Amino acid sequence: MNSKELRQFFKGHLVPSRLYDLRKNHKGRICMEKSASGWSVYFSDKKQKVGVLHYKDEASACAAMKNEVRKLMEGLYGVTWSATPVA
């Protein structure tokens, strides 16, 4: 899965766009971004990156972000989809 496919997955599962960002660091959202050493998934709080997780490839980062957003959706709205294992 790549970030474009992940965005389509989120749209198809009615995930509010205010919960995530796949392009840049937005305050109060789960973010994913490409860096020189791979990919990072984290929560953006003000100007700080909280709980940064690093991945070597985009597919692993997408799987991790999908799982983090799934947990957030379950906690906030009581709805979710099947969990997928993170590589």
Side-chain angles (χ1 to χ4, degrees), residues 17-51:
S17 60
R18 70 178 179 273
L19 298 181
Y20 68 94
D21 196 321
L22 299 172
R23 289 181 280 180
K24 57 186 173 182
N25 183 356
H26 253 106
K27 181 176 84 170
R29 297 181 186 186
I30 296 175
C31 302
M32 183 174 79
E33 66 181 28
K34 184 169 176 34
S35 65
S37 61
W39 292 80
S40 298
V41 175
Y42 57 89
F43 181 78
S44 177
D45 182 32
K46 298 180 183 173
K47 293 185 179 183
Q48 295 183 358
K49 296 177 181 179
V50 179

Side-chain angles (χ1 to χ4, degrees), residues 2-29:
N2 62 34
S3 55
K4 184 177 179 179
E5 293 167 332
L6 183 60
R7 182 181 317 282
Q8 292 297 1
F9 178 87
F10 287 159
K11 282 185 176 185
H13 286 80
L14 306 176
V15 176
S17 60
R18 70 178 179 273
L19 298 181
Y20 68 94
D21 196 321
L22 299 172
R23 289 181 280 180
K24 57 186 173 182
N25 183 356
H26 253 106
K27 181 176 84 170
R29 297 181 186 186

